[in-house]
Protein backbone atom coordinates (compact mmCIF):
# COMPACT_ATOMS: atom_id res chain seq x y z
CA UNK A 1 0.00 0.00 0.00
CA UNK A 2 1.43 3.37 -0.98
CA UNK A 3 1.64 6.20 1.52
CA UNK A 4 -1.30 8.57 1.63
CA UNK A 5 -0.79 11.96 0.02
CA UNK A 6 -2.05 14.90 2.04
CA UNK A 7 -5.82 14.68 2.66
CA UNK A 8 -8.06 16.91 0.56
CA UNK A 9 -11.24 18.76 1.59
CA UNK A 10 -13.87 19.38 -1.09
CA UNK A 11 -16.32 22.26 -0.65
CA UNK A 12 -18.16 24.99 -2.50
CA UNK A 13 -19.60 28.43 -1.90
CA UNK A 14 -22.93 27.26 -3.36
CA UNK A 15 -23.86 25.89 0.07
CA UNK A 16 -23.55 29.31 1.70
CA UNK A 17 -27.05 30.73 1.91
CA UNK A 18 -28.64 27.90 -0.05
CA UNK A 19 -31.59 26.41 1.82
CA UNK A 20 -34.45 24.01 1.22
CA UNK A 21 -36.77 26.60 2.81
CA UNK A 22 -37.10 28.17 6.27
CA UNK A 23 -39.45 25.40 7.47
CA UNK A 24 -37.34 22.46 6.25
CA UNK A 25 -34.81 20.50 8.39
CA UNK A 26 -32.18 21.56 5.83
CA UNK A 27 -32.81 25.23 6.44
CA UNK A 28 -29.61 25.20 8.49
CA UNK A 29 -26.08 25.91 7.23
CA UNK A 30 -23.86 22.83 7.23
CA UNK A 31 -21.01 22.68 4.68
CA UNK A 32 -20.38 26.43 4.89
CA UNK A 33 -19.97 26.04 8.65
CA UNK A 34 -17.39 23.30 8.09
CA UNK A 35 -15.51 25.51 5.64
CA UNK A 36 -15.48 28.44 8.06
CA UNK A 37 -14.79 26.41 11.20
CA UNK A 38 -11.90 24.41 9.77
CA UNK A 39 -10.27 27.61 8.51
CA UNK A 40 -10.76 29.29 11.87
CA UNK A 41 -9.10 26.29 13.54
CA UNK A 42 -6.11 26.54 11.21
CA UNK A 43 -6.91 23.14 9.71
CA UNK A 44 -6.81 24.04 6.00
CA UNK A 45 -3.17 23.84 4.91
CA UNK A 46 -2.24 25.32 1.53
CA UNK A 47 -3.36 23.04 -1.28
CA UNK A 48 -5.72 20.97 0.85
CA UNK A 49 -8.99 22.66 -0.19
CA UNK A 50 -10.52 21.79 -3.57
CA UNK A 51 -13.54 23.67 -4.96
CA UNK A 52 -16.16 21.17 -6.05
CA UNK A 53 -17.11 21.06 -9.72
CA UNK A 54 -20.74 20.78 -10.74
CA UNK A 55 -21.45 17.43 -12.35
CA UNK A 56 -22.59 17.64 -15.94
CA UNK A 57 -25.80 15.79 -16.87
CA UNK A 58 -23.86 13.18 -18.86
CA UNK A 59 -21.86 12.28 -15.73
CA UNK A 60 -25.05 11.94 -13.70
CA UNK A 61 -26.48 9.59 -16.33
CA UNK A 62 -24.00 6.97 -15.12
CA UNK A 63 -26.75 6.04 -12.68
CA UNK A 64 -29.60 8.55 -12.93
CA UNK A 65 -32.33 8.48 -15.57
CA UNK A 66 -31.74 11.27 -18.13
CA UNK A 67 -35.43 12.22 -17.94
CA UNK A 68 -35.10 12.70 -14.18
CA UNK A 69 -31.96 14.83 -14.50
CA UNK A 70 -33.75 16.96 -17.09
CA UNK A 71 -36.72 17.30 -14.73
CA UNK A 72 -34.45 18.67 -11.99
CA UNK A 73 -33.00 21.19 -14.43
CA UNK A 74 -36.48 22.29 -15.53
CA UNK A 75 -37.61 22.59 -11.90
CA UNK A 76 -34.72 24.93 -11.18
CA UNK A 77 -35.36 27.02 -14.30
CA UNK A 78 -39.13 27.26 -13.74
CA UNK A 79 -39.25 27.34 -9.94
CA UNK A 80 -42.09 24.82 -10.03
CA UNK A 81 -43.13 21.42 -11.35
CA UNK A 82 -46.37 20.06 -12.74
CA UNK A 83 -48.33 17.32 -11.01
CA UNK A 84 -47.07 14.58 -13.32
CA UNK A 85 -43.43 15.49 -12.57
CA UNK A 86 -44.17 15.63 -8.84
CA UNK A 87 -45.77 12.21 -8.92
CA UNK A 88 -43.18 10.58 -11.18
CA UNK A 89 -40.01 12.02 -9.64
CA UNK A 90 -41.06 12.96 -6.09
CA UNK A 91 -39.85 16.55 -6.38
CA UNK A 92 -41.90 19.52 -5.30
CA UNK A 93 -43.01 17.63 -2.17
CA UNK A 94 -42.73 18.44 1.52
CA UNK A 95 -39.56 16.36 1.89
CA UNK A 96 -38.03 17.27 -1.46
CA UNK A 97 -39.15 20.83 -2.15
CA UNK A 98 -38.44 23.15 -5.04
CA UNK A 99 -35.74 25.66 -4.09
CA UNK A 100 -33.55 27.98 -6.19
CA UNK A 101 -30.59 25.57 -6.44
CA UNK A 102 -32.56 22.32 -6.71
CA UNK A 103 -30.32 21.11 -9.56
CA UNK A 104 -27.05 23.00 -9.06
CA UNK A 105 -26.63 22.19 -5.36
CA UNK A 106 -27.01 18.38 -5.57
CA UNK A 107 -25.07 18.36 -8.85
CA UNK A 108 -22.22 20.11 -7.03
CA UNK A 109 -22.26 17.54 -4.21
CA UNK A 110 -22.28 14.79 -6.82
CA UNK A 111 -19.50 16.52 -8.71
CA UNK A 112 -17.37 16.43 -5.58
CA UNK A 113 -17.78 12.67 -5.19
CA UNK A 114 -17.21 12.03 -8.89
CA UNK A 115 -14.03 14.12 -8.74
CA UNK A 116 -12.93 12.25 -5.62
CA UNK A 117 -13.06 8.96 -7.52
CA UNK A 118 -10.67 10.42 -10.10
CA UNK A 119 -8.32 12.02 -7.58
CA UNK A 120 -8.09 8.78 -5.60
CA UNK A 121 -6.97 6.76 -8.62
CA UNK A 122 -3.46 6.49 -7.16
CA UNK A 123 -4.55 6.48 -3.50
CA UNK A 124 -5.25 9.13 -0.90
CA UNK A 125 -7.83 10.55 1.48
CA UNK A 126 -10.68 12.93 0.61
CA UNK A 127 -13.48 14.44 2.71
CA UNK A 128 -16.55 15.67 0.83
CA UNK A 129 -18.93 16.80 3.59
CA UNK A 130 -21.59 17.84 1.07
CA UNK A 131 -21.81 14.23 -0.09
CA UNK A 132 -23.62 11.32 1.50
CA UNK A 133 -27.01 11.83 -0.17
CA UNK A 134 -27.76 8.13 0.09
CA UNK A 135 -31.54 8.10 -0.48
CA UNK A 136 -31.59 9.35 -4.09
CA UNK A 137 -32.97 6.83 -6.58
CA UNK A 138 -32.26 6.56 -10.32
CA UNK A 139 -35.45 8.35 -11.33
CA UNK A 140 -36.68 10.10 -8.19
CA UNK A 141 -35.71 12.03 -5.11
CA UNK A 142 -36.07 10.64 -1.60
CA UNK A 143 -35.39 11.77 1.95
CA UNK A 144 -34.01 15.24 1.04
CA UNK A 145 -31.69 13.61 -1.56
CA UNK A 146 -32.14 14.58 -5.20
CA UNK A 147 -29.08 12.73 -6.52
CA UNK A 148 -27.14 9.81 -5.08
CA UNK A 149 -23.53 10.93 -4.85
CA UNK A 150 -22.35 7.82 -2.91
CA UNK A 151 -23.42 5.61 -5.83
CA UNK A 152 -21.85 7.99 -8.34
CA UNK A 153 -18.68 8.21 -6.23
CA UNK A 154 -18.36 4.42 -6.01
CA UNK A 155 -18.87 4.12 -9.77
CA UNK A 156 -16.17 6.77 -10.27
CA UNK A 157 -13.77 4.91 -7.97
CA UNK A 158 -14.34 1.70 -9.92
CA UNK A 159 -13.80 3.43 -13.26
CA UNK A 160 -10.50 4.68 -11.88
CA UNK A 161 -9.05 1.38 -10.77
CA UNK A 162 -10.75 0.42 -7.50
CA UNK A 163 -12.28 -2.96 -8.27
CA UNK A 164 -13.51 -3.77 -4.75
CA UNK A 165 -15.21 -1.02 -2.72
CA UNK A 166 -16.42 -1.21 0.88
CA UNK A 167 -19.22 1.24 1.66
CA UNK A 168 -19.83 1.86 5.37
CA UNK A 169 -22.81 3.97 6.41
CA UNK A 170 -23.25 5.20 10.01
CA UNK A 171 -26.07 7.65 9.32
CA UNK A 172 -29.17 7.24 11.50
CA UNK A 173 -31.13 6.32 8.35
CA UNK A 174 -30.66 3.27 6.13
CA UNK A 175 -29.02 3.98 2.71
CA UNK A 176 -31.81 2.60 0.58
CA UNK A 177 -30.55 4.22 -2.63
CA UNK A 178 -27.08 2.71 -2.28
CA UNK A 179 -28.64 -0.67 -1.52
CA UNK A 180 -30.60 -0.48 -4.78
CA UNK A 181 -27.50 0.66 -6.66
CA UNK A 182 -25.34 -2.31 -5.71
CA UNK A 183 -27.77 -5.08 -4.81
CA UNK A 184 -26.14 -8.43 -5.52
CA UNK A 185 -22.83 -6.83 -6.57
CA UNK A 186 -20.05 -9.05 -5.12
CA UNK A 187 -17.34 -6.42 -5.46
CA UNK A 188 -19.21 -3.82 -3.37
CA UNK A 189 -19.65 -4.56 0.33
CA UNK A 190 -22.29 -2.36 1.99
CA UNK A 191 -22.43 -2.17 5.79
CA UNK A 192 -25.10 -0.02 7.41
CA UNK A 193 -25.71 0.74 11.08
CA UNK A 194 -28.97 2.66 11.37
CA UNK A 195 -31.82 3.30 13.81
CA UNK A 196 -34.61 0.74 13.67
CA UNK A 197 -38.19 1.82 12.89
CA UNK A 198 -36.85 4.98 11.26
CA UNK A 199 -37.58 6.20 7.72
CA UNK A 200 -37.09 4.76 5.06
CA UNK A 201 -37.98 1.57 7.02
CA UNK A 202 -35.58 -0.58 4.97
CA UNK A 203 -32.41 -2.42 5.97
CA UNK A 204 -33.79 -5.19 8.15
CA UNK A 205 -31.31 -7.39 10.00
CA UNK A 206 -32.00 -10.31 7.69
CA UNK A 207 -31.83 -8.27 4.47
CA UNK A 208 -28.63 -9.01 2.54
CA UNK A 209 -29.45 -7.01 -0.64
CA UNK A 210 -28.65 -9.98 -2.85
CA UNK A 211 -25.70 -10.96 -0.69
CA UNK A 212 -23.78 -7.68 -0.91
CA UNK A 213 -24.97 -6.00 2.30
CA UNK A 214 -24.81 -6.32 6.07
CA UNK A 215 -27.55 -4.36 7.84
CA UNK A 216 -27.66 -3.67 11.56
CA UNK A 217 -30.75 -1.77 12.73
CA UNK A 218 -30.08 -0.57 16.28
CA UNK A 219 -32.47 0.52 19.05
CA UNK A 220 -33.03 4.10 20.15
CA UNK A 221 -30.54 5.30 22.73
CA UNK A 222 -27.48 3.62 21.16
CA UNK A 223 -24.44 4.83 23.13
CA UNK A 224 -20.73 5.16 22.36
CA UNK A 225 -19.83 1.91 24.10
CA UNK A 226 -22.34 0.00 22.00
CA UNK A 227 -21.16 1.65 18.80
CA UNK A 228 -17.51 0.85 19.55
CA UNK A 229 -18.55 -2.76 20.21
CA UNK A 230 -20.27 -2.87 16.81
CA UNK A 231 -17.22 -1.35 15.14
CA UNK A 232 -14.76 -3.76 16.72
CA UNK A 233 -16.84 -6.92 16.44
CA UNK A 234 -18.51 -6.39 13.08
CA UNK A 235 -17.58 -3.43 10.87
CA UNK A 236 -13.80 -3.55 11.05
CA UNK A 237 -13.45 -7.35 10.73
CA UNK A 238 -15.79 -7.40 7.73
CA UNK A 239 -13.97 -4.58 5.95
CA UNK A 240 -10.53 -6.03 6.70
CA UNK A 241 -11.54 -9.46 5.39
CA UNK A 242 -13.06 -7.91 2.25
CA UNK A 243 -9.67 -6.26 1.50
CA UNK A 244 -11.14 -3.34 -0.45
CA UNK A 245 -9.30 -1.23 -2.98
CA UNK A 246 -11.32 1.73 -1.70
CA UNK A 247 -13.46 2.57 1.32
CA UNK A 248 -16.34 5.05 1.25
CA UNK A 249 -17.61 6.10 4.68
CA UNK A 250 -20.94 7.90 4.86
CA UNK A 251 -20.55 9.82 8.11
CA UNK A 252 -24.06 11.16 8.74
CA UNK A 253 -24.17 13.46 11.75
CA UNK A 254 -27.76 12.65 12.66
CA UNK A 255 -26.80 9.76 14.96
CA UNK A 256 -25.59 12.08 17.72
CA UNK A 257 -27.73 12.72 20.77
CA UNK A 258 -28.71 16.31 19.93
CA UNK A 259 -30.06 15.63 16.46
CA UNK A 260 -33.83 16.20 16.07
CA UNK A 261 -34.44 13.52 13.43
CA UNK A 262 -33.19 10.47 15.31
CA UNK A 263 -33.26 9.04 18.81
CA UNK A 264 -29.74 7.67 19.02
CA UNK A 265 -27.40 8.90 21.76
CA UNK A 266 -23.90 8.91 20.32
CA UNK A 267 -21.25 11.54 20.81
CA UNK A 268 -19.17 12.62 17.85
CA UNK A 269 -16.31 10.55 19.30
CA UNK A 270 -18.01 7.47 17.80
CA UNK A 271 -17.69 9.00 14.34
CA UNK A 272 -14.12 10.18 14.86
CA UNK A 273 -13.11 6.72 16.02
CA UNK A 274 -14.72 5.08 13.00
CA UNK A 275 -13.03 7.55 10.64
CA UNK A 276 -9.62 6.79 12.14
CA UNK A 277 -10.09 3.01 12.35
CA UNK A 278 -11.07 2.56 8.69
CA UNK A 279 -8.29 4.70 7.27
CA UNK A 280 -5.47 2.10 7.29
CA UNK A 281 -7.64 -0.61 5.71
CA UNK A 282 -7.49 0.66 2.13
CA UNK A 283 -5.23 2.83 -0.07
CA UNK A 284 -8.22 4.95 -1.17
CA UNK A 285 -10.51 6.59 1.37
CA UNK A 286 -13.49 8.84 0.68
CA UNK A 287 -15.40 10.24 3.67
CA UNK A 288 -18.80 11.79 2.95
CA UNK A 289 -21.27 13.76 5.03
CA UNK A 290 -24.94 12.77 5.07
CA UNK A 291 -27.72 13.54 7.53
CA UNK A 292 -27.38 16.09 10.29
CA UNK A 293 -30.02 18.61 11.30
CA UNK A 294 -28.61 20.50 14.28
CA UNK A 295 -26.35 23.31 13.01
CA UNK A 296 -23.85 23.03 15.87
CA UNK A 297 -23.50 19.26 16.00
CA UNK A 298 -23.22 18.78 12.26
CA UNK A 299 -20.68 21.57 11.76
CA UNK A 300 -18.55 20.38 14.68
CA UNK A 301 -18.76 16.72 13.68
CA UNK A 302 -17.72 17.12 10.03
CA UNK A 303 -15.02 19.61 11.01
CA UNK A 304 -13.76 17.04 13.51
CA UNK A 305 -13.84 14.37 10.82
CA UNK A 306 -11.55 16.56 8.72
CA UNK A 307 -9.32 17.20 11.73
CA UNK A 308 -9.11 13.45 12.34
CA UNK A 309 -8.11 12.78 8.74
CA UNK A 310 -5.57 15.59 8.92
CA UNK A 311 -4.10 14.34 12.20
CA UNK A 312 -4.83 17.67 13.86
CA UNK A 313 -5.01 18.01 17.63
CA UNK A 314 -8.49 18.98 18.82
CA UNK A 315 -8.27 21.74 21.42
CA UNK A 316 -10.16 21.50 24.70
CA UNK A 317 -11.62 24.90 23.83
CA UNK A 318 -11.69 26.30 20.32
CA UNK A 319 -9.85 29.57 19.61
CA UNK A 320 -11.86 32.82 19.54
CA UNK A 321 -12.16 32.83 15.73
CA UNK A 322 -13.75 29.36 15.76
CA UNK A 323 -15.99 30.22 18.70
CA UNK A 324 -17.21 33.22 16.72
CA UNK A 325 -18.26 30.89 13.87
CA UNK A 326 -20.23 28.68 16.27
CA UNK A 327 -21.87 31.55 18.14
CA UNK A 328 -23.00 33.12 14.87
CA UNK A 329 -25.20 30.09 14.15
CA UNK A 330 -28.86 30.25 15.04
CA UNK A 331 -31.73 27.78 15.18
CA UNK A 332 -35.35 28.27 16.10
CA UNK A 333 -35.77 24.79 17.54
CA UNK A 334 -36.06 24.38 21.31
CA UNK A 335 -35.77 21.30 23.51
CA UNK A 336 -33.69 18.39 22.21
CA UNK A 337 -30.57 19.82 20.60
CA UNK A 338 -30.94 23.39 21.86
CA UNK A 339 -27.53 25.05 22.00
CA UNK A 340 -25.35 24.60 25.08
CA UNK A 341 -22.08 26.28 26.00
CA UNK A 342 -20.17 23.15 24.98
CA UNK A 343 -21.64 23.32 21.47
CA UNK A 344 -20.29 26.88 21.19
CA UNK A 345 -16.79 26.28 22.53
CA UNK A 346 -15.65 22.74 21.66
CA UNK A 347 -15.28 20.36 18.74
CA UNK A 348 -15.18 17.06 20.60
CA UNK A 349 -18.20 15.99 22.66
CA UNK A 350 -17.92 14.46 26.09
CA UNK A 351 -18.11 10.66 25.66
CA UNK A 352 -21.56 9.10 26.01
CA UNK A 353 -20.74 5.66 27.32
CA UNK A 354 -23.06 3.07 28.80
CA UNK A 355 -23.92 -0.61 28.99
CA UNK A 356 -24.03 -2.82 25.92
CA UNK A 357 -27.65 -3.89 25.58
CA UNK A 358 -28.54 -7.54 25.13
CA UNK A 359 -30.31 -6.74 21.87
CA UNK A 360 -27.15 -5.19 20.40
CA UNK A 361 -25.05 -8.16 21.57
CA UNK A 362 -27.50 -10.65 20.13
CA UNK A 363 -27.81 -8.97 16.73
CA UNK A 364 -24.07 -8.49 16.35
CA UNK A 365 -23.62 -12.15 17.29
CA UNK A 366 -26.20 -13.19 14.69
CA UNK A 367 -24.42 -11.24 11.96
CA UNK A 368 -20.99 -12.52 12.98
CA UNK A 369 -22.20 -16.09 12.70
CA UNK A 370 -23.98 -15.48 9.42
CA UNK A 371 -20.95 -13.76 7.92
CA UNK A 372 -18.52 -16.41 9.14
CA UNK A 373 -16.72 -14.23 11.67
CA UNK A 374 -17.66 -16.23 14.78
Amino acid sequence: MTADPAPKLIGSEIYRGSSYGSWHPLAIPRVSTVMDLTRALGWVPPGSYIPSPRAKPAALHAWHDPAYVAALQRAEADGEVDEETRRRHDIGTVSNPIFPEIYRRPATAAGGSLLAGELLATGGVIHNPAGGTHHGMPDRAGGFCYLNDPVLGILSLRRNGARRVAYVDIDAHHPDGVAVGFSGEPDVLMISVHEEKRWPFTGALEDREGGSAVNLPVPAGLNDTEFNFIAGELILPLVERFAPDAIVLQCGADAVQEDPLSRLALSNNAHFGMVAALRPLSPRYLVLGGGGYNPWTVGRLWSGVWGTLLGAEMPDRVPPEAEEVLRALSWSRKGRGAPTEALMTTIRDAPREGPIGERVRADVGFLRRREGLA
Side-chain angles (χ1 to χ4, degrees), residues 155-239:
L155 293 174
S156 179
L157 283 162
R158 297 181 76 186
R159 284 195 301 271
N160 288 281
R163 186 175 68 87
R164 293 167 65 81
V165 180
Y167 174 79
V168 179
D169 194 305
I170 58 174
D171 193 285
H173 302 81
H174 178 253
D176 53 338
V178 182
V180 168
F182 298 104
S183 179
E185 171 53 68
D187 288 330
V188 177
L189 169 66
M190 190 188 93
I191 304 171
S192 175
V193 179
H194 49 275
E195 185 177 353
E196 67 178 356
K197 300 176 183 176
R198 175 74 53 189
W199 191 93
F201 309 108
T202 52
L205 184 70
E206 300 80 10
D207 193 347
R208 304 187 71 183
E209 307 294 350
S212 61
V214 176
N215 286 304
L216 179 62
V218 294
L222 186 80
N223 61 51
D224 287 356
T225 309
E226 291 174 310
F227 184 88
N228 292 336
F229 172 76
I230 293 165
E233 292 293 310
L234 189 67
I235 299 174
L236 297 175
L238 284 171
V239 173

Side-chain angles (χ1 to χ4, degrees), residues 141 167 250 274 305 309:
Y167 174 79
Q250 200 272 19
M274 187 82 269
V305 164
L309 295 172

Side-chain angles (χ1 to χ4, degrees), residues 61-86:
H61 298 165
W63 195 62
H64 288 286
D65 182 352
Y68 172 55
V69 175
L72 286 174
Q73 292 179 294
R74 285 197 307 273
E76 180 168 296
D78 298 343
E80 60 183 7
V81 294
D82 58 30
E83 185 56 38
E84 180 182 355
T85 300
R86 182 180 295 108

